[in-house]
Amino acid sequence: MEAPGHLSETMLKIYQQRGQGLLLQTVANLYRLKKKMPGIDFFRHPVFTNLPEQQTKPISYRAITESADHHIYASYYTGISAKKPGEAAFAPLPTERYRKGDMVSTYSLQYWNQHLLWNNVLINITTGQSRYMFDTLFSGHCTQYLRGDSCWLYKWSSQSLHCYDLRNNRLRTYPLQIPMDENKQEGRNGDMNDMEDDANENQLWVSSHDFGLALITKQGKLLKRFLYTELGTSDSYITDLERVGDQLWFGCTDGLGRLDIPTGRSIIFRNPGIQNNIMQNRAVFSIVPDEKGNFYLGSSSGLLYFNTSTLSFFNLMEGHPLSRIEFNRASSLKTSDGRYYMGSTNGLYSFQPGDLQFISASEPVKLVKLVGIAAYNNRQNEYNYQSIGLDSLQSLQLSPFERNLQFSFSVPEYNHAVYYSYRVKGFNDNWSEYKPENSISLSGLVPGNYLLEVKVSTALNDTNAFLYSLPIHMRQSWFKKPWVIALIVLGILGLIIWFIRNQFNQRLQRQKELAQLRTKISSDLHDDVGTILSGLAMQSQMLAYSASGEQKQSLNEISEMSREAMEHMRDTVWAMDSRKDKYENLIDRMRAFAERNLALKNFTHEFIVTEVDTKKFIDPEKRQAIYLIFKEAITNIVKHSKGNHVLIGLYMDKAGLHLTVKDNGDAHAQINSDGLGISNMTMRAEKIGGKLYIRREEGYEVQLDIPA
């Protein structure tokens, strides 16, 4: 069978659901057929107001009451309208005469003995006569509590609690001082949403937006106070009150609360919903008990039902005209014929219990199916789709370029909205908020192992939630795999080592070439210049033998200068010779110089070497400087000392190399040395980073310290 212009699909079979309609199976889809819901006008009453511009336009309603003759009275910000038995529409009452002053707001409305108690006005229904129960002007917002012939009244933002004796027209007023929240003005009690007596009927429970929940005497004295921190609510906004025995039920921003009066312990029951794509708790504004002891609740988002035995919420089905209505504070009534009236911010509604079909706010989710996976490949610049075989999918394998994913789920649930919360363990361990979207998008994944976990619930919490999980493995790019990275690191290290070794070999080669050049230069100087100077000294000395007078003296001076030049040249050749770059070469030359020069002046000497590795390399510049300083010290002793013994010490420790040259001459004698010699010694010490000390306390002493 086909239905042209409608489903346009071949129908296969019809299934009967127990109490929930029909299921229609086609070749492509499964449809649920259910009874059509009544429209909004089935529940909403036409209300005519006393303002011509409003007439039947839905407005915001406040308190509702019923008279002894079953007339229904509904109040709103501009007055009161009444409905006679058997009629549907409400007609306005002439309330202008009762509103003396500027106030037009309203909150409370009660019936007592052919009178209406409207805010602070007592109106005789039969005669239309009225009087103010307190004050001389219309009070506006005023909260009432009626017990027998006594009515307690509180004008918002005042400091007084009134008790009016309706039978004797007698007023008693008591001071009321309940501490406000820190943001409220001192001395002003703010609003009061409701009053309810205690079990003994001699005290009052009061609720407020400003001071939370409080217990006072009927003379206005504060006995107890409960703020949000004690009630477990998100703020101190407490609305309607309903006491059942020792349990005080209250509406609040978070939902429905229950205070155990003897213990003072509170519990909050929440029934969140999605509003403007944001998960929010439904605030409860009015509580109306039914004949079973359960509650109809007027909330910020729809009419709710609460079972006080199972402590569970029931909601109207999605799409029901009362499922999204914002109901009002102090605006509910159960009438004598069993009908319930609920005022909202946009109209007045009524119903019989049989008119509504509630479903549990949360049912267990029995099955969750993954129906689609879309993975975007960055390299190929395209999506890869997978929809077949997902029931048996044990894990999802991804390439390193499929970093943007979308998962689509399906849940066979027809009576409740379905909400999804997820997390990806290994990427972000925090659960997302519950949302109605059945698709989950992931981006920014990097190669590794993850676990996708999805909670599916018919409520906006974990109650009866179904947990679905899917392991995800994203392969690493080949060039990012550990063994590839290890090879690259080894290759780079190899290049660095090769470069360093190549630089070292080049430096070593340059040092070898420089050493060869130094050796060649020193050899050439020794062979060529040394021969010339030696010959000059010998020739001048031989000529001096045959010369006489001034010529002989001059030739002897030339011979002496030639020998000194040869000595300086030998020092230079020795310093340049790379074959002499060890400590043993320095020590041997120092010994030779000391023995040769000290013996000429009959000096004995000791040469002590301690902790010096004689085979160790010594920098040529340092070697030359040490030798020349040593040579200058020995020369000064030979020329000027009056002693006969010299102590020479060369030792090495952690601090560096130390050289000491000391004679045993007269402690008071001064060794004369030209300033240039000492200056040269100091300059050479500083040039190699050392320090030179010259002492004359006990003979002549030269000390050279070279740091390590």
Side-chain angles (χ1 to χ4, degrees), residues 296-309:
Y296 288 103
L297 305 175
S299 80
S300 58
S301 181
L303 180 66
L304 312 176
Y305 189 77
F306 186 80
N307 189 310
T308 56
S309 298

Side-chain angles (χ1 to χ4, degrees), residues 268-293:
I268 306 300
F269 303 95
R270 295 173 173 84
N271 184 17
I274 295 291
Q275 300 181 40
N276 300 321
N277 293 323
I278 300 175
M279 184 180 73
Q280 295 180 348
N281 288 316
R282 291 183 173 96
V284 171
F285 294 133
S286 57
I287 306 172
V288 188
D290 67 0
E291 66 281 357
K292 299 178 182 178

Side-chain angles (χ1 to χ4, degrees), residues 15-32:
Y15 300 90
Q16 174 70 48
Q17 275 192 300
R18 185 178 302 173
Q20 296 184 354
L22 302 175
L23 290 179
L24 175 62
Q25 180 186 2
T26 70
V27 293
N29 295 289
L30 186 65
Y31 297 91
R32 181 170 181 263

Side-chain angles (χ1 to χ4, degrees), residues 1-151:
M1 180 182 75
E2 293 188 1
H6 295 85
L7 294 178
S8 298
E9 297 178 12
T10 302
M11 186 180 71
L12 299 179
K13 196 171 183 180
I14 297 177
Y15 300 90
Q16 174 70 48
Q17 275 192 300
R18 185 178 302 173
Q20 296 184 354
L22 302 175
L23 290 179
L24 175 62
Q25 180 186 2
T26 70
V27 293
N29 295 289
L30 186 65
Y31 297 91
R32 181 170 181 263
L33 306 179
K34 59 182 181 180
K35 184 179 178 180
K36 185 178 180 180
M37 294 182 184
I40 189 70
D41 291 335
F42 180 82
F43 301 99
R44 186 163 59 193
H45 284 271
V47 179
F48 295 90
T49 70
N50 51 12
L51 292 181
E53 63 271 19
Q54 290 186 328
Q55 293 301 320
T56 59
K57 179 183 178 182
I59 57 176
S60 180
Y61 286 85
R62 285 299 191 185
I64 311 166
T65 191
E66 181 184 16
S67 66
D69 55 359
H70 308 302
H71 285 64
I72 308 300
Y73 297 88
S75 63
Y76 41 88
Y77 263 48
T78 54
I80 306 171
S81 292
K83 183 183 78 69
K84 296 179 181 180
E87 295 183 0
F90 283 73
L93 298 182
T95 55
E96 294 86 353
R97 69 180 76 170
Y98 315 128
R99 295 200 312 268
K100 184 179 179 181
D102 298 329
M103 289 289 187
V104 296
S105 58
T106 184
Y107 192 77
S108 298
L109 182 65
Q110 303 264 13
Y111 173 81
W112 173 83
N113 194 22
Q114 293 301 311
H115 288 76
L116 291 179
L117 286 67
W118 182 44
N119 295 318
N120 66 330
V121 185
L122 180 63
I123 305 171
N124 189 309
I125 299 175
T126 304
T127 65
Q129 294 180 343
S130 67
R131 61 173 172 269
Y132 292 121
M133 291 179 281
F134 67 87
D135 288 351
T136 58
L137 297 175
F138 184 67
S139 67
H141 285 92
C142 178
T143 306
Q144 303 172 350
Y145 172 71
L146 181 62
R147 172 61 66 179
D149 295 333
S150 297
C151 182

Side-chain angles (χ1 to χ4, degrees), residues 64-67 70-73 83 288 332-341 350-352:
I64 311 166
T65 191
E66 181 184 16
S67 66
H70 308 302
H71 285 64
I72 308 300
Y73 297 88
K83 183 183 78 69
V288 188
S332 60
L333 173 70
K334 179 184 178 183
T335 60
S336 56
D337 62 353
R339 178 169 287 274
Y340 294 83
Y341 287 82
S350 73
F351 58 87
Q352 292 279 3

